Amino acid sequence: MTTEASTSWQLYILRTASGMLYTGITCDIARRIEQHQKGTGAKALRGKGPLELMFHCAAGDRSLASKLEYQVKQLNKIQKLRLISQQPESLTEWLITAGTPTARQRQSQR
């Protein structure tokens, strides 16, 4: 049995048929996408047509994953598309260089 502390969380970005980008976190991307496709996942994605996984990366523990999710959700669509096209190895570093306020604050506290 895995505990939350040992569980690897992932951040992901999906694109709907209309081009909307949805950001979420999960421990099992395949299961979560299947839930979204069936309409049993997030309400925001229900009835939005086929979904395409555009980006995913390791996000550490639940706490860090939630913080990264918040930061990505603060990005505008152009910034999210840049993130998707660049597929960075380190999302945390990418967010700092992208200049998101929360990432800059966290970096200055170090």
Side-chain angles (χ1 to χ4, degrees):
M1 181 173 196
T2 59
T3 63
E4 189 171 317
S6 66
T7 304
S8 175
W9 284 81
Q10 300 276 315
L11 179 134
Y12 63 94
I13 300 176
L14 301 176
R15 183 173 60 192
T16 66
S18 67
M20 181 187 85
L21 298 174
Y22 174 85
T23 303
I25 58 172
T26 186
C27 293
D28 185 342
I29 290 179
R31 176 189 52 81
R32 191 65 177 144
I33 292 173
E34 184 178 333
Q35 288 174 332
H36 289 312
Q37 294 282 20
K38 289 180 179 178
T40 59
K43 288 182 183 179
L45 294 177
R46 292 183 188 159
K48 301 293 188 213
L51 304 172
E52 181 181 1
L53 178 64
M54 302 300 295
F55 176 81
H56 70 91
C57 68
D61 63 13
R62 172 67 189 250
S63 176
L64 180 57
S66 294
K67 290 172 186 170
L68 289 173
E69 178 186 27
Y70 174 80
Q71 289 178 304
V72 172
K73 285 183 173 184
Q74 300 310 301
L75 299 175
N76 62 40
K77 188 169 185 176
I78 293 170
Q79 290 170 315
K80 288 178 188 176
L81 291 171
R82 188 177 315 126
L83 168 63
I84 290 166
S85 71
Q86 292 177 355
Q87 299 283 318
E89 288 186 32
S90 170
L91 178 57
T92 304
E93 292 300 317
W94 188 90
L95 288 166
I96 291 168
T97 60
T100 61
T102 309
R104 282 196 309 263
Q105 290 167 356
R106 185 171 294 122
Q107 182 69 13
S108 67
Q109 292 172 354
R110 291 183 183 177

